[in-house]
Amino acid sequence: MRTLLIVDLQNDFCPGGALAVPNGDQVVPVINRLIGRFDHVLQTQDWHPEGHSSFASSHPGKKPFDTVQMEYGEQVLWPEHCVQGSRGADFHPELNTLKSEVIIRKGFRKEIDSYSTFYENDQKTRTGLTGYLNNKNLSDLYVCGLATDFCVKWSVLDGIKEGFTVKVIEDAVRGIDLDGSVEQAWLEMKEAGAEVISSSQLL
Ligand code: VGL
Ligand code: ZN
């Protein structure tokens, strides 16, 4: 059955937010139109404790968008964003969340970030999404939201690895773009077997 996964459509990733994705809010009306076409709607929510290890402010001498080596590999450092309970962590106020049956929170452990909705950034610790989808026999995933080059990309790649059919809705995602990372993300997603579609194909 068709399942819509709405990734991190939160205030901090929209214009005016702490880690604003250019034109991030433009996907909201597109996604609101799509929701009625899906049997199941799931959302993710970036949900960091204060002092999270992905924040540049937690690493003396570092600034946002620098990288550091963590135990699990390279990590980009971000401005403080999506702090648990903050307005920035709330979903965009115009996003229709009524039909969302599950909200997967991620990045809530201080010492590890989580881009993918399936695994934390150590690529080992599961979020539980695979189990949920399999228990309900949901094999057909349609991914939208923010940001194309981080949480969307990693969710798409891991979804394919976990055996799901994954389609990315091109006009319902936007990216951060650090040194061409959006273009790179599209290449990686297509290479892995993701199908790229337009929202008009679903309406
Ligand atoms: C994201 C950077 C840090 C995302 C989350 O949702 O793509 N990017 N945290
Ligand atoms: Zn984050």
Side-chain angles (χ1 to χ4, degrees), residues 106-124:
K106 56 189 186 54
F108 52 75
R109 290 201 295 146
K110 200 166 186 171
E111 66 287 356
I112 183 164
D113 206 5
S114 185
Y115 295 148
S116 158
T117 320
F118 294 90
Y119 287 93
E120 296 185 358
N121 284 8
D122 60 3
Q123 301 276 298
K124 285 199 273 280

Side-chain angles (χ1 to χ4, degrees), residues 124-135:
K124 285 199 273 280
T125 312
R126 291 176 177 277
T127 61
L129 181 60
T130 301
Y132 184 84
L133 294 171
N134 284 336
N135 281 345

Side-chain angles (χ1 to χ4, degrees), residues 160-191:
I160 293 168
K161 271 193 208 146
E162 296 288 80
F164 301 104
T165 302
V166 183
K167 300 187 179 71
V168 191
I169 309 168
E170 195 169 22
D171 53 325
V173 297
R174 292 290 186 281
I176 297 173
D177 211 13
L178 305 177
D179 294 326
S181 55
V182 167
E183 198 188 336
Q184 179 68 25
W186 285 116
L187 290 174
E188 284 178 52
M189 291 190 286
K190 287 177 199 168
E191 170 90 9

Side-chain angles (χ1 to χ4, degrees), residues 77-91:
L77 296 177
W78 305 106
E80 293 179 17
H81 65 281
C82 297
V83 172
Q84 295 171 359
S86 69
R87 218 195 126 257
D90 285 348
F91 296 120

Side-chain angles (χ1 to χ4, degrees), residues 33-58:
R33 279 195 293 275
L34 290 175
I35 283 169
R37 303 298 168 116
F38 283 86
D39 309 301
H40 295 268
V41 180
L42 281 60
Q43 284 185 245
T44 72
Q45 189 172 28
D46 212 37
W47 194 248
H48 301 307
E50 282 182 32
H52 190 254
S53 57
S54 75
F55 297 167
S57 55
S58 305

Side-chain angles (χ1 to χ4, degrees), residues 56-64 66 68 77:
S57 55
S58 305
H59 302 263
K62 295 287 183 185
K63 38 183 206 323
D66 286 349
V68 286
L77 296 177

